[in-house]
């Protein structure tokens, strides 16, 4: 059997397409694991005799650790090499997935989920910055990020479908086991498609205290919200304030505060927090509403997201053209308006609703907003990146995306559960309230975008990196 051609033997254009597919595959698995546990949670709880409050960490622990460490991952990527960190992150993600699938108890499973998040924190910013450098021209970068975003978003939806299928037909452990062979394939093929990193020319120290504070702060906040512990909420706020102080005083900050003086990036990341909070909440609550209120089974609820997936992919496909025609600011605003329309529809959900009339229209609006809004903001967050800060910019964007989603999920889902009297309740008062609060957040994001953001045309949307 002939060996696969090495990276040096392939034409650059061929390698870039294959490399994009490989980078997107791992991101698909990373996104998949955000949602793949939802339908399986009752089975996990039954096996480990765990209460709902403990099970929630199987979901939030992954995104909080991943989001909290993404800035460190971005910085490590810039300092130690993009391919090197992508491979290390993929290896950690594969090992942690295997540990989760074999976990003998809930603490081990939660620990494995934390480790999965750490693997993501290395792999995602490395992949995103590799894409930015492989596709330096603005138009081709927008298309490449569109492919990456579409596959990543597909992982979120596929997670719900696979969770029901694998849990019902096989066992919940297989929701983690499917990651292992695919991640191993990524590890084996990547060295043949991406050139090795150059020699290390920078020896800056890593800001480990900053990374610890940025991870512990959101964890404490979410714990305080979920467990209704004001002291934990206060501690989380203090830890995040400490993060700002550390970043301002350390010689080698995790992310230099001057990074946020770039107005396009700063506004894009701030708006992403609010949009991600609304999208994560809507995704989770729609799953809950369809099962607990409408009465769909797990597999039916997963299949009900197929129109969502189709609308999302269509929105992502047209977003590069919207960016070209409208610029980043107004393309992002289109995404926010679509999201707001979907949330407004969902904020009127009846107690005994129907999928086609009450859920589907709002679901499609949210899907369109997710596709257009996040992709346009992602391009804005990478505006003007260079070889020195591509990984940092990618890490910041992914971090605010995940932390915004996790914190929004904790606050707004807590509102929904409180309003309905529990996760198994059949009323929709709490759902309506949560969607209304999410709508208020989107309105604030749109106002911030209109007032504070300059509009970048497509030819200015990204600067070629050297």
């Amino acid at each position: 059997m002939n060996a696969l051609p090495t990276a040096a033997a392939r034409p650059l254009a061929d390698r870039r397409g294959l490399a994009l597919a490989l980078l997107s595959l791992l991101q698909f698995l990373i996104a998949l694991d955000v949602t793949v546990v939802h339908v399986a949670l009752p089975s996990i709880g039954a096996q480990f005799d765990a209460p709902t409050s403990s099970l929630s960490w199987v979901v939030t622990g992954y995104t909080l650790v991943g989001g909290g460490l993404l800035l460190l991952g971005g910085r490590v990527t810039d300092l130690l090499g993009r391919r090197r960190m992508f491979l290390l992150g993929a290896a950690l993600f594969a090992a942690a997935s295997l540990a989760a699938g074999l976990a003998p108890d809930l603490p081990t499973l939660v620990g494995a989920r934390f480790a999965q998040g750490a693997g993501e924190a290395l792999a995602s910013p490395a992949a995103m910055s590799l894409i930015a450098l492989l596709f330096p021209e603005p138009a081709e970068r927008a298309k490449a990020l569109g492919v990456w975003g579409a596959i990543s978003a597909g992982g979120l939806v596929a997670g719900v479908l696979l969770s029901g299928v694998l849990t019902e037909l096989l066992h919940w452990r297989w929701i983690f086991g499917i990651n292992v062979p695919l991640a191993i394939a990524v590890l084996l093929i990547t060295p043949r498609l991406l050139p090795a990193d150059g020699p290390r020319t920078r020896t800056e120290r890593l800001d480990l205290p900053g990374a610890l504070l940025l991870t512990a702060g959101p964890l404490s906040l979410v714990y305080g919200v979920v467990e209704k512990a004001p002291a934990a909420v206060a501690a989380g706020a203090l830890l995040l304030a400490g993060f700002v102080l550390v970043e301002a005083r350390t010689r080698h900050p995790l992310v230099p505060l001057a990074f946020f003086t770039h107005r396009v990036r700063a506004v894009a990341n701030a708006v992403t927090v609010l949009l991600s909070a609304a999208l994560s909440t809507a995704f989770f609550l729609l799953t809950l509403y369809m099962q607990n209120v409408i009465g769909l089974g797990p597999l039916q609820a997963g299949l009900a997201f197929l129109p969502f997936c189709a609308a999302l992919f269509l929105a992502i496909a047209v977003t590069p053209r919207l960016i070209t025609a409208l610029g980043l600011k107004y393309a992002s605003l289109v995404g926010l308006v679509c999201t707001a329309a979907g949330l407004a529809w969902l904020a009127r959900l009846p107690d005994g609703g129907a999928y086609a009339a009450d859920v589907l229209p709002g679901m499609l609006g949210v899907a369109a907003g997710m596709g257009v809004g996040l992709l346009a903001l992602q391009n804005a967050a990478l505006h003007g990146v260079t070889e020195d800060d591509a990984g940092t910019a990618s890490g910041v964007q992914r971090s605010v995306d995940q932390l915004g989603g996790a914190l929004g999920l904790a606050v707004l889902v807590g509102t929904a559960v409180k309003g309905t009297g529990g996760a198994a309740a059949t009323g929709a008062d709490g759902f309506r309230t949560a969607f209304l609060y999410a709508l208020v957040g989107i309105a604030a994001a749109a106002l911030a975008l209109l007032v504070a953001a300059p509009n970048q045309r497509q030819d200015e949307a990204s600067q070629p990196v050297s």
Side-chain angles (χ1 to χ4, degrees), residues 363-385:
M363 178 187 283
L364 295 177
V366 170
M370 181 177 179
V372 176
L374 285 184
L375 183 55
L377 291 169
Q378 188 179 86
N379 273 267
L382 294 177
H383 178 269
V385 296

Side-chain angles (χ1 to χ4, degrees), residues 53-422:
S53 58
S54 298
L55 285 175
S56 67
W57 287 102
V58 180
V59 179
T60 57
Y62 174 63
T63 55
L64 284 171
V65 172
L69 293 178
L70 272 168
L71 286 176
L72 179 64
R75 198 66 180 154
V76 169
T77 290
D78 285 336
L79 294 176
L80 303 182
R82 291 165 178 81
R83 193 185 84 165
R84 189 176 295 119
M85 291 303 103
F86 177 75
L87 290 171
L88 180 59
L92 180 56
F93 184 80
S97 297
L98 181 61
L102 298 176
D105 50 42
L106 186 63
T108 303
L109 175 58
V110 173
R113 291 287 282 171
F114 284 4
Q116 280 186 306
E120 178 209 358
L122 290 175
S124 278
M128 205 169 172
S129 58
L130 281 167
I131 292 171
L133 298 174
L134 284 170
F135 299 90
E137 295 300 322
E140 65 178 6
R141 180 184 293 179
K143 291 179 181 178
L145 286 173
V147 171
W148 191 74
I151 294 175
S152 176
L156 294 173
V157 178
V160 178
L161 298 173
L162 282 175
S163 186
V165 171
L166 294 175
T167 301
E168 185 170 332
L169 300 182
L170 295 173
H171 194 277
W172 66 262
R173 295 184 183 277
W174 282 100
I175 66 177
F176 303 111
I178 60 173
N179 293 335
V180 178
L182 293 175
I184 290 175
V186 169
L187 288 169
L188 294 175
I189 299 173
T190 294
R192 300 179 179 274
L193 294 180
L194 293 174
D197 298 309
R200 292 175 54 189
T201 58
R202 300 163 68 185
T203 58
E204 297 177 13
R205 290 184 179 180
L206 293 174
D207 180 17
L208 295 179
L212 179 62
L213 289 168
L214 186 60
T215 305
L219 281 170
S220 181
L221 281 174
V222 169
Y223 177 83
V225 170
V226 172
E227 301 295 333
K228 298 178 177 58
V233 173
L238 288 174
L239 288 169
L240 290 178
F243 168 74
V244 175
L245 291 176
V246 166
E247 298 309 285
R249 296 183 178 184
T250 185
R251 292 182 59 188
H252 303 291
L254 191 62
V255 54
L257 295 184
F259 177 86
F260 296 103
T261 61
H262 190 291
R263 191 154 60 124
V264 175
R265 295 182 198 164
V267 174
N269 284 309
V271 172
T272 297
V273 171
L274 295 172
L275 180 57
S276 295
L279 294 174
S280 296
T281 300
F283 195 90
F284 182 83
L285 288 183
L286 283 173
T287 305
L288 202 64
Y289 180 84
M290 287 189 291
Q291 293 186 68
N292 293 345
V293 178
I294 296 180
L296 300 182
L299 186 55
Q300 289 176 309
L303 293 174
F305 273 96
L306 287 176
F308 180 99
C309 187
L312 179 64
F313 289 164
L314 179 61
I316 289 174
V318 304
T319 298
R321 296 180 184 177
L322 283 177
I323 294 175
T324 300
L326 303 177
L328 290 173
K329 175 178 179 176
Y330 292 107
S332 301
L333 190 61
V334 168
L336 294 178
V337 169
C338 291
T339 303
L343 292 173
W345 187 271
L346 296 173
R348 49 163 293 283
L349 284 173
D351 289 342
Y355 168 73
D358 299 306
V359 175
L360 184 58
M363 178 187 283
L364 295 177
V366 170
M370 181 177 179
V372 176
L374 285 184
L375 183 55
L377 291 169
Q378 188 179 86
N379 273 267
L382 294 177
H383 178 269
V385 296
T386 67
E387 177 74 25
D388 291 332
D389 64 3
T392 298
S394 302
V396 169
Q397 198 278 333
R398 294 292 301 157
S399 183
V400 299
D401 183 13
Q402 288 204 197
L403 291 179
L407 292 172
L409 191 65
V411 173
L412 296 177
V413 170
T415 300
V417 172
K418 180 180 179 181
T420 57

